[in-house]
Amino acid sequence: MKSLLSDEFAQHICQIVSEETGYRLIFVNQEGTIFAAYDKERIGDFHSVGKKVIDGIIEEGVVTQEEHERLKEQMGDEAPRAGINLPVIYKGQRLANLGVGGDPEAIRPILGLTRRTITLYLENKEMLDHLTNTIESINGHLQSMLEKTEEVTTGSKEVERSTFKTQNTTEASIEKVKKMEEVLKIIKQVSSQSKILGLNAGIEAARAGQAGLGFAVVAKEIRKLASESEDSVAGVSVILEEIQEIFQTIQEQVETNTAIIEEQTSSMVEMEHLIGVVEKAMTNLVAETKKT
Amino acid sequence: MKSLLSDEFAQHICQIVSEETGYRLIFVNQEGTIFAAYDKERIGDFHSVGKKVIDGIIEEGVVTQEEHERLKEQMGDEAPRAGINLPVIYKGQRLANLGVGGDPEAIRPILGLTRRTITLYLENKEMLDHLTNTIESINGHLQSMLEKTEEVTTGSKEVERSTFKTQNTTEASIEKVKKMEEVLKIIKQVSSQSKILGLNAGIEAARAGQAGLGFAVVAKEIRKLASESEDSVAGVSVILEEIQEIFQTIQEQVETNTAIIEEQTSSMVEMEHLIGVVEKAMTNLVAETKKT
């Protein structure tokens, strides 16, 4: 609570009160020490009446000129001077004692108004301090937000790179499939040539008569194998077509991902911009409130 | 500027001044109308001296009891009463006129102090208003940030889904490659059977002597074709191995992406949490400052 009522503000109030009313105000703290005074040489002095007021031993410290004269006869120079001391009470706590020398009845309204000024100020000041503290803690959160954004941006870039690689890989594999098709064509040609060969061998065997009987079996076998080979090539072609479709599907998925990732990256750029704007506004606010 | 000095605050000051000093304060606005007064029935009345002060026609409006008596003889009941009127000047602008009836010299310090209280308050109030406005504009930015975060989260989920599909597709294609290997094995077997057949046919042709000459040519051709087929199958196997490697690479890239996207999603969840925390703190601040 003490820090709410700063030395600088108390000194400013002493100045204002003197300018407007001519009275020479002092502020006494919890230790009974004068911490602000129109007469600056009094700062640091102990103030016994002020200490009693702030400790709540007495509600107020009021000494009239007559009382002062009377006390002087008993106590000599130790006698308190005429004047009035009132506590500044904020949220139930005695924050400081305000003192002014002179006729108590003349000073009371001035001092009363002064402490109302102080409590009015303290209410706003406390709110400003609270705002400043909250804003500073929010600034910490913004820093974390910026870090998270950077993490996501870095991640997006990695995914983008990796997706780009996948795209290249898929393109390369489509080339492979084409090559494979060519080789399969060769196998197919071989099969069909084998078939023709088997037919010719059959004709040759028939022509050879009895001597060609063994050949006829071989020719039949050739046709059978060529046909098997042809069937297998057809099977491989079907699978190859399926693989090609798979690569196309992967390529489409990669394209979709690339588009989404590009959007994400642009969202993150906007996000970083927004955080920057908020951070700047916050920093300015903290700087401005610290001036008060 | 006008809104800075609210009717409520002015009324509160009238109350404070009366409580502390017994004086009955009035506030006069730019139109010369009393907008706050200890005696509330005066609110809404026109105040000619206050109007002159606020327009800057006169620096202050001071009427002593003697002046009042003198003017009364000339003007009758129209004569201004004894009292003092001082402007509240904030940042060079006359915001209001403060007026109190009675002995000007006795009232001047009270009224001087009162207007210092008001300007002190206005400085803080202006800062608080500025803070509140900034915080409200920041709240708008936070809303945009939340939207961006949601966009990115949605995007990440889409990429995740799409990546999961690619993973499934790739796994399916590895199955295809295996099937293809099996079929190629069949072609290879056919080729090697053809080769053996070609060899046997060659032996058979030799055994047949002159009659087997034509057949020897066929046998040679069989071996040649079988060998070509074998070579082609070897070529296809190499390409198939490369395709398998490509699928493995894609699978690895997909796994990397999945890990990154999972991190991104968790970053975005933390981000949403942080924005929520900041938004809540901001909303609370705005609510608190609006109470003052």
Side-chain angles (χ1 to χ4, degrees):
Chain A
M1 279 294 215
K2 177 73 202 306
S3 66
L4 259 183
L5 187 51
S6 69
D7 293 3
E8 293 72 25
F9 176 68
Q11 196 60 41
H12 183 53
I13 291 292
C14 292
Q15 189 64 33
I16 287 176
V17 168
S18 166
E19 280 169 19
E20 299 296 335
T21 71
Y23 287 117
R24 293 159 175 263
L25 183 64
I26 58 157
F27 281 77
V28 179
N29 67 17
Q30 257 89 1
E31 286 75 42
T33 310
I34 296 172
F35 69 96
Y38 179 73
D39 302 302
K40 286 181 184 162
E41 62 276 14
R42 296 186 67 187
I43 293 172
D45 288 357
F46 182 76
H47 194 280
S48 59
V49 177
K51 175 69 175 153
K52 278 181 196 156
V53 169
I54 213 155
D55 286 346
I57 296 166
I58 52 175
E59 202 51 47
E60 301 178 349
V62 180
V63 178
T64 61
Q65 191 58 32
E66 298 81 58
E67 281 170 329
H68 170 68
E69 305 287 347
R70 193 152 35 81
L71 288 164
K72 205 177 179 184
E73 279 172 30
Q74 300 163 19
M75 300 164 75
D77 283 347
E78 296 284 293
R81 283 180 291 180
I84 182 164
N85 286 276
L86 299 181
V88 175
I89 301 171
Y90 185 66
K91 295 190 171 174
Q93 211 190 334
R94 290 178 178 228
L95 279 193
N97 170 72
L98 300 182
V100 170
D103 172 19
E105 282 323 295
I107 304 163
R108 183 181 287 279
I110 300 292
L111 219 51
L113 211 49
T114 302
R115 66 174 173 176
R116 294 298 282 267
T117 301
I118 293 168
T119 51
L120 257 175
Y121 170 85
L122 290 181
E123 280 168 16
N124 270 341
K125 178 74 182 137
E126 199 176 26
M127 178 57 79
L128 273 173
D129 284 355
H130 175 56
L131 277 171
T132 309
N133 290 341
T134 311
I135 287 168
E136 275 177 352
S137 81
I138 286 171
N139 261 353
H141 288 313
L142 286 176
Q143 212 44 52
S144 309
M145 279 155 85
L146 209 58
E147 280 163 24
K148 294 280 157 243
T149 307
E150 277 162 14
E151 275 170 31
V152 172
T153 307
T154 308
S156 287
K157 276 180 192 155
E158 278 178 54
V159 175
E160 213 170 357
R161 257 197 305 276
S162 161
T163 305
F164 185 68
K165 261 195 222 164
T166 307
Q167 205 162 15
N168 283 346
T169 311
T170 316
E171 271 165 24
S173 60
I174 284 167
E175 281 302 304
K176 300 274 175 213
V177 169
K178 270 187 196 153
K179 248 193 205 165
M180 206 161 169
E181 273 172 353
E182 280 164 27
V183 181
L184 285 176
K185 214 181 271 173
I186 293 169
I187 300 178
K188 210 179 167 188
Q189 274 170 359
V190 169
S191 302
S192 93
Q193 278 175 312
S194 298
K195 230 177 178 176
I196 294 163
L197 194 65
L199 285 172
N200 289 341
I203 294 162
E204 201 75 27
R207 211 177 275 162
Q210 193 60 28
L213 277 180
F215 293 154
V217 175
V218 171
K220 200 185 166 194
E221 191 65 13
I222 289 171
R223 289 197 300 275
K224 200 193 116 207
L225 287 176
S227 171
E228 267 179 40
S229 185
E230 243 180 10
D231 289 351
S232 296
V233 168
V236 169
S237 290
V238 168
I239 297 171
L240 196 61
E241 226 162 81
E242 286 170 353
I243 288 177
Q244 193 157 17
E245 271 168 28
I246 286 168
F247 280 129
Q248 260 150 8
T249 306
I250 292 175
Q251 214 166 20
E252 278 164 21
Q253 286 165 353
V254 163
E255 272 164 25
T256 309
N257 284 0
T258 305
I260 295 168
I261 291 159
E262 270 168 20
E263 272 175 39
Q264 282 188 316
T265 305
S266 101
S267 286
M268 280 297 106
V269 167
E270 284 173 55
M271 183 72 130
E272 270 180 60
H273 171 72
L274 283 169
I275 294 172
V277 168
V278 173
E279 207 175 21
K280 203 178 166 193
M282 292 296 208
T283 309
N284 287 347
L285 276 185
V286 172
E288 282 175 44
T289 53
K290 284 220 169 123
K291 274 191 276 174
T292 62
Chain B
M1 277 295 216
K2 177 71 204 306
S3 67
L4 260 182
L5 187 52
S6 68
D7 292 4
E8 292 72 26
F9 176 68
Q11 197 59 42
H12 183 51
I13 290 291
C14 292
Q15 191 62 33
I16 287 175
V17 169
S18 166
E19 280 168 19
E20 299 297 334
T21 72
Y23 287 117
R24 292 160 176 262
L25 183 64
I26 57 157
F27 281 76
V28 178
N29 66 17
Q30 257 90 359
E31 287 74 44
T33 311
I34 297 173
F35 69 95
Y38 179 74
D39 301 302
K40 286 180 184 160
E41 61 275 16
R42 296 187 67 187
I43 294 172
D45 286 358
F46 183 75
H47 194 279
S48 60
V49 177
K51 176 68 175 154
K52 278 180 196 157
V53 169
I54 212 154
D55 286 345
I57 296 165
I58 52 174
E59 200 52 48
E60 301 177 350
V62 180
V63 178
T64 61
Q65 191 57 33
E66 299 82 55
E67 282 169 327
H68 169 68
E69 305 287 346
R70 192 154 32 83
L71 286 165
K72 204 177 178 183
E73 280 171 30
Q74 298 163 17
M75 300 165 74
D77 282 348
E78 296 282 293
R81 284 179 291 179
I84 181 164
N85 287 275
L86 299 181
V88 174
I89 301 172
Y90 185 67
K91 296 193 170 172
Q93 211 191 334
R94 291 181 177 224
L95 280 193
N97 171 73
L98 300 183
V100 171
D103 173 19
E105 281 323 294
I107 303 164
R108 182 181 287 278
I110 300 292
L111 218 52
L113 211 49
T114 301
R115 68 173 171 176
R116 294 298 281 265
T117 301
I118 294 167
T119 51
L120 256 174
Y121 170 86
L122 290 181
E123 280 168 17
N124 271 341
K125 180 72 182 141
E126 199 176 25
M127 177 59 76
L128 273 174
D129 284 355
H130 176 56
L131 277 169
T132 309
N133 290 340
T134 311
I135 286 168
E136 276 178 351
S137 82
I138 285 170
N139 261 355
H141 288 313
L142 286 175
Q143 213 42 52
S144 308
M145 279 154 86
L146 209 59
E147 280 163 24
K148 293 278 157 247
T149 307
E150 277 162 14
E151 275 171 29
V152 172
T153 306
T154 308
S156 287
K157 276 180 191 155
E158 277 178 55
V159 174
E160 214 170 356
R161 256 198 305 275
S162 160
T163 305
F164 185 68
K165 260 197 223 161
T166 306
Q167 207 163 12
N168 284 346
T169 311
T170 316
E171 271 165 24
S173 60
I174 284 169
E175 281 301 304
K176 300 272 176 213
V177 169
K178 271 186 194 153
K179 245 193 206 165
M180 204 162 169
E181 272 172 354
E182 281 165 27
V183 181
L184 284 176
K185 214 182 268 171
I186 293 169
I187 301 178
K188 212 179 164 186
Q189 276 169 358
V190 169
S191 302
S192 93
Q193 278 175 311
S194 297
K195 228 176 178 177
I196 294 163
L197 193 67
L199 283 171
N200 289 341
I203 294 163
E204 200 79 24
R207 211 179 272 162
Q210 193 60 28
L213 277 181
F215 214 81
V217 175
V218 171
K220 203 185 165 194
E221 192 63 14
I222 290 169
R223 289 199 298 277
K224 202 193 116 206
L225 288 175
S227 170
E228 264 179 44
S229 183
E230 245 180 7
D231 290 351
S232 295
V233 168
V236 169
S237 290
V238 167
I239 297 170
L240 196 61
E241 226 164 82
E242 285 169 353
I243 288 177
Q244 193 157 17
E245 273 168 29
I246 286 169
F247 280 130
Q248 260 151 10
T249 307
I250 292 175
Q251 213 166 21
E252 278 164 21
Q253 286 164 352
V254 163
E255 273 164 24
T256 309
N257 284 1
T258 305
I260 295 168
I261 291 159
E262 270 169 19
E263 272 174 42
Q264 283 188 315
T265 305
S266 101
S267 286
M268 279 297 106
V269 168
E270 285 173 55
M271 184 72 131
E272 271 181 59
H273 171 72
L274 282 169
I275 294 172
V277 168
V278 172
E279 207 174 21
K280 202 178 166 193
M282 293 295 207
T283 309
N284 287 346
L285 276 185
V286 172
E288 283 176 44
T289 53
K290 286 221 169 126
K291 275 190 275 174
T292 62

